[in-house]
Amino acid sequence: MAQSPPDKAEATAAVQEASLAEQVKAIIAKYDSEMNAFYEAYQATKDDEARNDLFAKLYPKPGPYMERLGAIVKKAPEDPASLNAILWMLGNRVTKDQRAEFLGVLLAHHITADEIGVACQAVSRDASIATEKFLRRVITVSKSHEAVGHATYALAGVLGRRISFKERLTKNFDLNQPDMVRTYGKEVVKLCEASSAKDLAAERKALLETVRDKFGDVPRYNSTLGKAAKGQLFEAERLQIGMVAPDIQGDDLDGVDFKLSDYRGKVVFLDFWGDW
Amino acid sequence: MYPHERSLVKDYESRPFALLGVNSDEDLDKLKVRMEKENITWRSWRNGGSTSGPISTQWNVSGWPTIYLIDSKGVIRYKNVRGDALDEAIEKLVAEAEASK
């Protein structure tokens, strides 16, 4: 077989790809260096006034960076550089429309990338329909153990937030509470109203058990998904209002052992605190 | 938080009420100096000197402070109540405890 000559179009594409990747890298690096400069100056401030002043002057506004990265994503959504741009943007502050748009791009072009787990972590505090759809898709198609683990854990979080919305709704909170509508959109509030708390809780529990049993080893911050899932399950099963509090036993600050159940007969105000 | 807690401890001194802490400070010596200064007299478990200590991990605590109100029978009745709602909840539970004696 004759060797084919280097494909011109391919070569050009390679150059372009490298340059997009470089552009994204440079934009993020510039933001990071501005952020470092801000923190250095912040360390040196003496009072609140100086800090406020500094914040107004030096704190890098992500807006212009997001605009430039967003333009790259629009131009070449399928490029791996766009994946990196989106992962960075999701980790910063995005509006719910931006989030939905970026998740749509990830769904269309990058769903099988190993790094998709980073996106699942970045949206883990959201409860929107776009996020739910994205996470369910990752769980179905991703081959990355870490990504599926993070998606499963994050989906349990989405359902958990819907459960607490429902609790608020049943306590006669206004359905159109501005904060809920602003954060997640009217459709999520409607969805919460229509779904059954029991079903939501059952699916959430099953997801957390899957994380505990199959993805317990996956790192999450300085811990693991397994530990996080166990904590969530314990809270759902043992720490709800109306349940008898699990006992606490251990040393006090002088090294003397004592138990929560020693205080039966008294109302206990239990305060998880630190002097910070 | 401390002034509110100090006044609760004082107001409920002779009633069936206890403020108990789970403390996550790393430096115990420094903490004790601070407690002396702030007049923090209530008892706390030591949570392994870290926010990822064993008690807060088991109780799935991810924000500080986290508050639970437990009634005299040991039942969890309120979570993360603050301000006036906290005062009202404590008074309600303490009155319940007194009535059941």
Side-chain angles (χ1 to χ4, degrees):
Chain A
M1 205 168 27
Q3 259 195 350
S4 53
D7 187 318
K8 253 198 180 158
E10 224 171 69
T12 317
V15 167
Q16 204 181 17
E17 190 177 301
S19 85
L20 274 188
E22 285 306 314
Q23 281 177 45
V24 168
K25 218 170 141 185
I27 293 167
I28 295 173
K30 178 134 193 296
Y31 183 85
D32 288 347
S33 79
E34 280 191 32
M35 191 58 101
N36 283 339
F38 168 78
Y39 274 120
E40 261 170 45
Y42 190 88
Q43 304 285 339
T45 52
K46 298 226 154 35
D47 54 39
D48 282 349
E49 201 186 330
R51 275 190 277 275
N52 288 339
D53 208 37
L54 185 74
F55 203 82
K57 270 193 210 141
L58 257 189
Y59 190 82
K61 294 181 181 59
Y65 296 89
M66 306 269 292
E67 247 170 58
R68 291 172 63 198
L69 291 172
I72 291 173
V73 172
K74 269 213 165 62
K75 198 168 111 192
E78 73 295 343
D79 194 291
S82 289
L83 170 62
N84 287 334
I86 290 174
L87 293 180
W88 186 82
M89 289 190 284
L90 288 176
N92 276 276
R93 201 169 289 176
V94 286
T95 65
K96 73 173 193 294
D97 292 340
Q98 283 172 323
R99 190 191 295 113
E101 181 195 330
F102 296 148
L103 291 180
V105 173
L106 294 182
L107 271 176
H109 301 288
H110 305 286
I111 198 78
T112 55
D114 283 350
E115 302 94 315
I116 210 75
V118 177
C120 299
Q121 274 184 284
V123 297
S124 68
R125 292 199 154 276
D126 184 39
S128 71
I129 290 170
T131 290
E132 180 187 1
K133 192 177 155 201
F134 170 75
L135 295 171
R136 289 195 189 278
R137 191 76 190 139
V138 172
I139 292 170
T140 314
V141 305
S142 176
K143 298 272 185 285
S144 154
H145 177 71
E146 288 206 3
V148 177
H150 281 299
T152 310
Y153 183 75
L155 183 58
V158 167
L159 300 181
R161 259 176 297 288
R162 292 204 185 142
I163 293 166
S164 47
F165 283 174
K166 274 201 78 72
E167 275 166 18
R168 290 167 66 185
L169 294 176
T170 52
K171 279 181 194 152
N172 288 327
F173 274 91
D174 180 2
L175 185 63
N176 294 310
Q177 272 190 93
D179 65 321
M180 286 171 65
V181 176
R182 193 171 52 237
T183 315
Y184 300 111
K186 272 206 169 85
E187 66 277 25
V188 167
V189 178
K190 273 194 202 137
L191 191 68
C192 288
E193 207 195 25
S195 51
S196 122
K198 215 176 136 196
D199 293 348
L200 287 171
E203 187 183 3
R204 173 170 180 267
K205 183 169 177 239
L207 289 165
L208 289 170
E209 284 168 349
T210 303
V211 173
R212 180 194 62 195
D213 299 340
K214 293 192 183 147
F215 302 99
D217 60 316
V218 174
R220 177 182 181 267
Y221 306 123
N222 49 11
S223 178
T224 63
L225 281 182
K227 277 191 187 156
K230 270 183 215 159
Q232 302 273 352
L233 284 165
F234 188 81
E235 187 173 356
E237 286 160 15
R238 300 288 309 277
L239 295 173
Q240 296 303 300
I241 287 168
M243 295 177 179
V244 173
D247 207 1
I248 297 175
Q249 178 167 17
D251 286 355
D252 68 12
L253 301 175
D254 299 316
V256 181
D257 180 87
F258 77 121
K259 296 202 298 274
L260 178 59
S261 53
D262 295 342
Y263 290 80
R264 206 52 69 85
K266 286 184 177 182
V267 173
V268 173
F269 174 160
L270 182 64
D271 180 17
F272 291 83
W273 69 288
D275 185 58
W276 52 69
Chain B
M1 206 58 193
Y2 298 147
H4 191 183
E5 289 171 325
R6 274 196 303 264
S7 73
L8 283 172
V9 168
K10 189 163 176 293
D11 292 349
Y12 286 95
E13 217 168 19
S14 57
R15 301 177 69 190
F17 172 83
L19 172 49
L20 299 176
V22 177
N23 176 276
S24 288
D25 279 288
E26 193 182 336
D27 187 336
L28 192 56
D29 294 335
K30 214 168 110 192
L31 174 69
K32 286 191 171 171
V33 174
R34 288 279 302 144
M35 287 173 71
E36 181 86 38
K37 185 165 171 265
E38 293 283 350
N39 195 20
I40 297 170
T41 53
W42 50 94
R43 206 168 181 191
S44 285
W45 284 277
R46 184 153 164 78
N47 185 34
S50 142
T51 49
S52 48
I55 306 172
S56 65
T57 299
Q58 190 190 25
W59 284 61
N60 200 35
V61 173
S62 57
W64 277 261
T66 283
I67 289 164
Y68 279 84
L69 280 187
I70 299 166
D71 71 16
S72 62
K73 297 189 176 70
V75 175
I76 297 169
R77 297 286 293 276
Y78 295 87
K79 285 187 192 187
N80 284 326
V81 273
R82 297 276 196 276
D84 289 346
L86 173 63
D87 291 345
E88 282 164 27
I90 291 174
E91 180 53 38
K92 184 183 159 198
L93 295 183
V94 170
E96 254 180 50
E98 287 167 340
S100 72
K101 266 187 185 167

